[in-house]
């Protein structure tokens, strides 16, 4: 009877060691996976594809010619026709590479936005003009990052004024 109890305890002890070793191995694998994911995220590169700032003007005419000067700034997407296409960033957007794109194996993407900038340079009311590839999360991430960005506002008669801003963000996994 005593031998059966000893065998039972020994068998139970072996099973505990096997379970412990299995859990330790699983935790090591998870640690390696987490380190690999952290390394991958740390080595992601996102670039803003914007022309260099113009030395002569903060704005460039868009597709529509502007009308005669108006006292108040026109509402968003009006036919005023002037959008800042080469913004001078006080705080540039810093988007992260979307997890959805990583899950889908997408390594590059681009998003073109048109946003409203107030007289203090805060970005709001962003509209995605183009997103490549669609559905990989690039558009939502770019809008999220743009809402935290600030530009040097356009000056009208020496005073800061609200305006439209248009820019493209390109993503590349390195």
């Amino acid at each position: 009877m005593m031998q059966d109890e000893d065998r039972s305890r020994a068998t139970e002890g072996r099973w505990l060691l096997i379970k412990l070793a299995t859990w330790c191995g699983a935790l090591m694998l998870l640690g390696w996976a987490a380190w690999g994911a952290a390394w991958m995220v740390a080595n992601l590169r996102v670039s803003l594809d914007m022309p260099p700032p113009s030395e002569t003007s903060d704005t460039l005419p868009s597709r529509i010619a502007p009308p005669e000067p108006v006292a108040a700034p026109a509402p968003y997407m009006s036919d005023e026709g002037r959008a800042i296409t080469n913004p001078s960033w006080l705080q540039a957007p810093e988007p992260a590479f979307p997890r959805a794109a990583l899950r889908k194996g997408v390594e590059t993407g681009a998003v073109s936005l048109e946003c409203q900038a107030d007289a203090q340079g805060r970005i709001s009311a962003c509209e995605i003009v183009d997103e490549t590839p669609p559905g990989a999360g690039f558009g939502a991430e770019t809008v999220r990052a743009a809402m935290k960005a600030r530009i040097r506002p356009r000056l009208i008669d020496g005073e800061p004024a609200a305006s439209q801003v248009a820019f493209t963000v390109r993503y590349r996994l390195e």
Side-chain angles (χ1 to χ4, degrees), residues 78-91:
S78 73
D79 61 352
E80 175 137 335
R82 293 184 62 85
I84 298 172
T85 57
N86 58 341
S88 175
W89 295 101
L90 297 174
Q91 182 178 343

Side-chain angles (χ1 to χ4, degrees), residues 110-114 127-132 134 138-139 167-170:
V111 178
S112 294
L113 289 183
E114 285 184 1
E127 180 180 327
I128 298 170
V129 176
D130 186 41
E131 178 182 5
T132 306
F138 292 112
F167 59 95
T168 299
V169 176
R170 295 191 188 282

Side-chain angles (χ1 to χ4, degrees), residues 56-90:
T56 58
S57 171
D58 280 20
T59 62
L60 293 176
S62 66
R63 295 173 292 262
I64 303 170
E68 293 299 315
V70 179
Y76 178 61
M77 298 301 288
S78 73
D79 61 352
E80 175 137 335
R82 293 184 62 85
I84 298 172
T85 57
N86 58 341
S88 175
W89 295 101
L90 297 174

Side-chain angles (χ1 to χ4, degrees), residues 11 17-18 21-22 25 33 36 39-40 45 49 55 74 97 108-109 120-121 134 159 171:
T11 304
L17 284 174
I18 291 171
T22 303
W39 179 86
M40 191 153 115
R45 300 288 185 259
D49 180 32
E55 293 181 15
F97 201 90
T108 62
Q120 286 75 40
E159 296 294 320
Y171 293 82

Side-chain angles (χ1 to χ4, degrees), residues 9-165:
R9 285 187 186 148
T11 304
E12 195 174 304
R14 281 188 214 119
W15 279 110
L16 284 174
L17 284 174
I18 291 171
K19 286 181 183 178
L20 180 63
T22 303
W23 278 104
C24 286
L27 288 174
M28 284 177 57
L29 285 174
L30 284 173
W32 288 336
W35 178 83
W39 179 86
M40 191 153 115
V41 169
N43 289 298
L44 294 176
R45 300 288 185 259
V46 177
S47 62
L48 291 174
D49 180 32
M50 296 178 288
S54 172
E55 293 181 15
T56 58
S57 171
D58 280 20
T59 62
L60 293 176
S62 66
R63 295 173 292 262
I64 303 170
E68 293 299 315
V70 179
Y76 178 61
M77 298 301 288
S78 73
D79 61 352
E80 175 137 335
R82 293 184 62 85
I84 298 172
T85 57
N86 58 341
S88 175
W89 295 101
L90 297 174
Q91 182 178 343
E94 296 178 5
F97 201 90
R99 290 182 186 204
L102 287 173
R103 282 192 300 269
K104 292 179 178 184
V106 177
E107 294 184 1
T108 62
V111 178
S112 294
L113 289 183
E114 285 184 1
C115 303
Q116 183 69 23
D118 66 13
Q120 286 75 40
R122 291 184 297 254
I123 305 290
S124 64
C126 290
E127 180 180 327
I128 298 170
V129 176
D130 186 41
E131 178 182 5
T132 306
F138 292 112
E141 179 58 28
T142 305
V143 169
R144 184 199 62 76
M147 296 300 219
K148 296 178 180 180
R150 288 192 60 219
I151 65 166
R152 180 167 284 113
R154 180 168 78 182
L155 299 177
I156 297 178
D157 295 329
E159 296 294 320
S163 62
Q164 281 182 263
V165 60

